[in-house]
Every structure is written in C-alpha cells, then in structure tokens.
Amino acid sequence: MINFLILPILIPLVTGVLLIFAAKRIMLQRWIAGISSVIAIILSALLVQKVRVDGIQTLDVSSWEAPFGITLVSDMMSALLVLTTSIIAFLCLIYSFWSIGEAREKFYYYAAFNFLIVGVNGAFTTGDIFNLFVFFEVMLMASYVLLVLGGKKAQLRESIKYILVNVISSALFVIAVAYLYSVVGTLNMAHISVRISEASQGNPPGIITVIAVLFLIVFGLKGAIFPLYFWMPGSYYAPPAPVLALFGALLTKVGVYSITRTYTLFFYHDTGFTHQLLSFLAIMSIIAGVIGAIAYWDIKKIIIYNIIIAVGAILFGVSAMTTDSLTGSIFYLIHDMIIKAALFLLAGIIIAIAGTSNLHKISGLIKRYPGLGWTFFIAALALAGIPPLSGFVGKLLIIKGGFEAEHYWGAGIVLMSSLLVLFSIMKIFINGFWGTPRAYKGEDKVPVGKMMIAPVILVVIAVFYGAGSEYVYPYILQAAETLANPEIYIEAVLKEY
C-alpha cells in the first residue's frame, strides 16, 4: 500500500508528465489538471487527519532506513502546508482557465504548474537537507518557465534577475550543505539535530553558528527577508495574476518554512546570536515592507510589499521560540498563504477590467462590480488582522509570544504594522472602488463572474479559518509542539536508531 505521505508529491509529478503529451489539447489539459488537483486536496486532507490521529508519518525511500537513506517526513506543520498548497493550487488552476490565455496553455503552462507543486510539496515533506535542495530546484525550474511564459519584455527582463539570484542562492545552498555534512557527517535532518546536540555539549562549535548564518542567507534569499528581498518586487510584478498568486502564496513561504524548520530542529544551540539575528532581520523586513507598501500607488507593488511584511511577522514569531509565538507563526503562515493568493487573484481581475495597475487611473469600480469590491474589502480586513478574520489569531499569538520572550520592541512593531498594512491595502479599496466611475476599454470582455469563483472561495476559507479558529487550533498547536520540542520529530524519524 502506498503511503499517503508521498501521494501529494507523486500525483502532480505524474500529472505534469501526462500534460506534456497533451500540450495542444487545451480542454483535455484542463480536465486532467483539475481532477488531479481535487484528488490531491482529498489525499492531503486525509494525511492531515492521519497525522492528527497517529502522529508523525515517515517513509523511507528504498530499503534504507533513516538516517542512512532518504526519508520523507510529514509532521502536522508539513501536512497542513501541503493541504494549503493543494487548495491554493486548485483555485489558481480554476482562475487560469478564464485568464491565462490559450497561447500560454499550449506551451506547457499546466505541466509547469504541476511541476511547481511537486517542488513545493516535496520541500515541505522531505526529511533530508540535500533533498530539500533538490525540491527547491524542481520548484525553481518550473517557476522559470512560468515567469517567462508569454515572452513579454518585462517578463524576460525580470527573469534574468530572478534566475541570476536563484542560481547564486542555489550555489550557496550546496556550499552550506557541504559544510554541514563535513561537520556532522549526515544529511538526515533529525540525525543532524542529534549530531549538533552532541557536539554542542558545553559550548556550541563556532562553525555551527557560521553554517546557521549561511543557511539563513540561503533561505532568506528565497524567502525574501531584509535585505535580501531586493529581487522580489520586480520579479513578482512581471507574470500574470494566477502565476503571481502562486508565487506570492507559495514560493516565499517555502523559504520561510525552511528557516523555521532548520532554526527549530537543529540550529537552536546558540539562540543568543542566531535567533537574535533572525529577530533583527524579521523586524527590519516588516519596516522595509511597510515603507514600500505605503509608498507605492501600484496595486501589484502594494500587495507584493505586504508579502515582505508577513515574512517578517512570521519569522519574528520563530525567533522568539516560545510555544505561543511558534503557534502564532504557523497560524499566520497558513493565513498569509490563503489571503495573499486571494488578493493577487482579485488584483488580477481589477487589472483585467481597468487595463492598468496604477491606482491613479482607476476609480468607481464598486458601482459596476459590487461583489468584487466587497470581496476585496473583506480580504483587506483579513490581511490586516481585524478580528474575527484569519489574520487576527496568528498575529495575536506572535505578539503574545514576543512579550513572553521579552522582545518588547519587536512585538510592538508587529502590532503597529497591522495598522499600516490596513492603511496600505485600504488605499487600493478607497481609490480603486470609490470615486467617479470610469469607462475602461474592453472591460465587457472580461469574464468577471467566472474569475471571481476562486478568490471568493479563498476569502470564505479565510473567514472560516479566523471565525472557526477554535476548531483549527488543536491542529496548529500540535504542529507548534513538534517545533518547540525537536525530540518528538527526532524520535519519529530515527525510531530505534
């Protein structure tokens, strides 16, 4: 019997291969990709329940047991992120049917889409640090295709910067893994934790701290933390809305997940330096993101800079290393994946109607598109963390954990950022939807009703995720307990070893 654990990786992989052979048959591609995504959601939900009831699930690939072979591991955090990824992928797929265009659909769009999901789910699931690199590369290669597909000048220009940054980041990743292996002699993440713990009796070796910082640089480039976010506003600005939603919701979150996993599982022996550095960079990310979100009058840029703010808030919770802050970070991470996808898809509809993302050229949309306007308004409130919507619980727990860890300034900045996030995102609502209605060329050709299906579902999920947080909380708490107590993860993976 195939382990549930591997299916969210295997299904999009097989789907992507099949879609390569159906490149010119658009309707067949849509049906295959759609059915595959629904199956992935069902299996991911079953995996979450399996982890909830039976604990951490592991799968030793081939006959080699951990730590000698390649191991896939699904704890509650991993399972929840895989489920969230599967839901977002399905809804972005539906949105793509009405917005991406036949030209892209015929050039392997759906195949690349599925290969991206393989990389994301694989990165969330692997228990091997080198295979984390492998899944990163799968994800990035698919993202290169999705970024340039369409061949517009802005896409080609930004793809050069995007590829260059990620090639450098990948080279640093291999160097960091090599250094780590030379010190601990293993690639299994649970075993790495054991080896570092043994080496850190008394005082941790300085080389471990150096390697921890090197990994922070690698994952920080991919997760877009300060000051390594410089590539993101331009690169994420170029692709069409469903691709931008995938990138904004998933790609940076893989970097955030990787920092969270490594800094809670094995780089926790010198928290006075490593986690203080992470805390500083997280706070600076919030400040830099807020400045960008307030300064710009471009819909895409405002939401993109809000990604940086969210990354900072999540990683501040990780740096505090309390159960509350870690619970809040996981809660907020899932919230941000959902709400960023919704906002980018809604922004795509606004831009399709108006033909521009410049707020100075858009006004009065709510008169003709009230559903679009009020859906955006609810999403904006959720992003800012207005109770009882999804952003509130996670941010409250992060702030509480920050105070518990005596990081008062950081917790205060996270709290203040909520007001500034609300200001930046309401700027879109006030200027784009209110005011004198304008006539936009070609707006009658935009299938607004069909395109609204995906973001409406995402906003509904965000509302229930916040209002029904008491039902979700036990799952999030189980995930946080594994992060706060690495021995739970280690025992599940290494067993009798």
Side-chain angles (χ1 to χ4, degrees):
M1 181 179 177
I2 297 177
N3 196 312
F4 273 136
L5 182 54
I6 199 170
L7 291 178
I9 303 170
L10 195 60
I11 287 171
L13 176 62
V14 173
T15 303
V17 173
L18 288 174
L19 291 172
I20 291 174
F21 296 100
K24 306 304 178 186
R25 302 178 66 181
I26 292 173
M27 288 306 298
L28 180 61
Q29 286 194 83
R30 290 178 178 178
W31 275 104
I32 292 173
I35 292 169
S36 168
S37 292
V38 171
I39 293 170
I41 292 172
I42 294 168
L43 292 171
S44 300
L46 292 173
L47 176 60
V48 169
Q49 196 57 33
K50 179 80 172 172
V51 174
R52 175 66 178 157
V53 174
D54 298 332
I56 296 173
Q57 301 295 298
T58 64
L59 176 64
D60 296 318
V61 180
S62 77
S63 58
W64 291 91
E65 294 183 355
F68 306 107
I70 296 169
T71 305
L72 299 177
V73 184
S74 189
D75 63 350
M76 184 55 77
M77 181 181 184
S78 169
L80 288 171
L81 293 178
V82 167
L83 175 59
T84 308
T85 298
S86 299
I87 293 169
I88 290 170
F90 172 65
L91 294 171
C92 287
L93 194 69
I94 291 175
Y95 188 94
S96 298
F97 295 165
W98 316 111
S99 66
I100 201 68
E102 289 190 8
R104 288 188 176 94
E105 287 180 303
K106 288 180 178 178
F107 281 90
Y108 309 102
Y109 170 76
Y110 294 114
F113 186 106
N114 276 275
F115 290 137
L116 182 87
I117 303 306
V118 172
V120 173
N121 284 345
F124 288 148
T125 306
T126 185
D128 181 286
I129 194 71
F130 184 77
N131 276 278
L132 180 61
F133 165 76
V134 172
F135 282 117
F136 259 111
E137 293 309 297
V138 172
M139 177 184 77
L140 290 172
M141 284 189 287
S143 73
Y144 300 154
V145 176
L146 292 171
L147 181 60
V148 300
L149 205 57
K152 293 184 179 179
K153 184 178 178 180
Q155 290 177 280
L156 297 174
R157 182 185 66 245
E158 292 301 333
S159 68
I160 295 171
K161 179 170 64 177
Y162 180 75
I163 292 171
L164 182 61
V165 167
N166 281 295
V167 166
I168 294 170
S169 174
S170 296
L172 286 174
F173 199 163
V174 173
I175 292 168
V177 170
Y179 272 129
L180 184 61
Y181 184 77
S182 71
V183 173
V184 299
T186 183
L187 295 171
N188 182 283
M189 290 199 279
H191 201 214
I192 289 170
S193 181
V194 172
R195 289 286 177 87
I196 290 178
S197 184
E198 290 170 353
S200 300
Q201 299 298 330
N203 292 315
I207 186 66
I208 297 295
T209 302
V210 172
I211 293 169
V213 173
L214 189 55
F215 271 103
L216 181 58
I217 293 169
V218 170
F219 296 139
L221 268 168
K222 297 180 187 296
I225 66 171
F226 178 88
L228 306 171
Y229 66 86
F230 60 88
W231 58 271
M232 193 180 75
S235 296
Y236 279 22
Y237 190 84
V243 176
L244 174 54
L246 271 183
F247 284 14
L250 303 181
L251 296 199
T252 50
K253 304 311 184 294
V254 176
V256 170
Y257 164 81
S258 300
I259 293 172
T260 303
R261 179 65 74 193
T262 54
Y263 270 58
T264 55
L265 183 57
F266 44 85
F267 291 137
Y268 60 86
H269 298 285
D270 189 17
T271 55
F273 180 80
T274 55
H275 287 60
Q276 286 295 325
L277 175 62
L278 180 60
S279 177
F280 171 75
L281 295 178
I283 292 166
M284 291 304 297
S285 297
I286 294 171
I287 294 170
V290 163
I291 292 170
I294 292 174
Y296 279 99
W297 284 82
D298 185 286
I299 296 172
K300 283 187 181 180
K301 286 285 179 70
I302 292 170
I303 303 174
I304 287 169
Y305 274 96
N306 269 288
I307 296 175
I308 300 168
I309 299 170
V311 167
I314 295 161
L315 291 179
F316 174 76
V318 174
S319 72
M321 285 290 283
T322 69
T323 301
D324 277 336
S325 69
L326 291 170
T327 305
S329 289
I330 298 168
F331 209 106
Y332 199 79
L333 174 59
I334 295 170
H335 144 79
D336 196 66
M337 292 169 73
I338 295 166
I339 211 65
K340 285 297 191 309
L343 284 168
F344 280 123
L345 295 181
L346 290 167
I349 299 172
I350 296 169
I351 294 164
I353 292 168
T356 179
S357 57
N358 187 340
L359 276 175
H360 292 303
K361 299 179 181 179
I362 306 171
S363 67
L365 286 176
I366 203 162
K367 184 172 183 179
R368 288 195 296 278
Y369 307 100
L372 174 62
W374 294 116
T375 303
F376 188 92
F377 178 72
I378 295 169
L381 295 182
L383 179 69
I386 304 300
L389 301 172
S390 57
F392 173 70
V393 177
K395 192 163 281 189
L396 180 66
L397 289 169
I398 290 171
I399 293 166
K400 182 182 176 186
F403 281 121
E404 287 175 359
E406 299 182 355
H407 294 178
Y408 302 117
W409 279 103
I413 289 171
V414 172
L415 182 61
M416 287 298 297
S417 72
S418 295
L419 296 175
L420 297 172
V421 165
L422 183 62
F423 173 79
S424 71
I425 205 73
M426 290 305 290
K427 185 165 62 175
I428 299 174
F429 181 71
I430 293 168
N431 291 276
F433 288 96
W434 297 109
T436 305
R438 300 186 186 189
Y440 302 101
K441 185 178 179 180
E443 66 175 299
D444 55 319
K445 298 178 181 178
V446 180
V448 175
K450 294 174 180 177
M451 292 171 72
M452 280 293 294
I453 294 170
V456 165
I457 293 172
L458 285 166
V459 171
V460 169
I461 291 171
V463 170
F464 279 101
Y465 185 58
S469 57
E470 61 184 295
Y471 301 106
V472 181
Y473 186 77
Y475 293 85
I476 305 291
L477 184 59
Q478 183 176 337
E481 285 172 350
T482 304
L483 295 183
N485 302 289
E487 60 273 9
I488 299 173
Y489 184 98
I490 294 166
E491 289 172 8
V493 175
L494 299 182
K495 302 180 178 72
E496 299 90 5
Y497 178 78

